[in-house]
Amino acid sequence: MFRQRNWKWLLLTAAVVGVAVGSALVGWLEVAIAIAVGYLILRIGFGMLRGLARPLPEPPEAGQLRKVKLHYHCNICGAEVRMTVAPEEDPEPPRHCQDEMDLVVPIE
């Protein structure tokens, strides 16, 4: 199995060969643009993968979530939500259709 150092040399060698072959077929400007775009795509892709690799946050301790019975309604599309558990007794209303939902009736 390759160590990380060997992968870097392999990648560097492939880049040098690619630049040499690419510059022979097309101009240097196109090769430089292709390298810059490829680097940008790799950075974005690795950043996204790094974000997915983060562990999930610890769940809240038992007893921290409070039981609530709230009913919300979206005025735009008509969707309805019933909230049964929240971290506080008076939680912020959920968002739907990029707008806050309206509290219909607290069921008690």
Side-chain angles (χ1 to χ4, degrees), residues 4-42:
Q4 188 174 3
R5 203 174 343 165
N6 292 338
W7 280 107
K8 287 182 181 180
W9 281 108
L10 182 65
L11 187 62
L12 181 63
T13 305
V16 169
V17 169
V19 168
V21 170
S23 63
L25 299 175
V26 295
W28 284 97
L29 181 61
E30 288 87 358
V31 172
I33 291 172
I35 290 172
V37 169
Y39 178 75
L40 182 65
I41 290 172
L42 280 174

Side-chain angles (χ1 to χ4, degrees), residues 82-93:
R82 180 176 174 197
M83 187 179 298
T84 58
V85 178
E88 51 195 34
E89 289 183 26
D90 188 23
E92 291 185 27

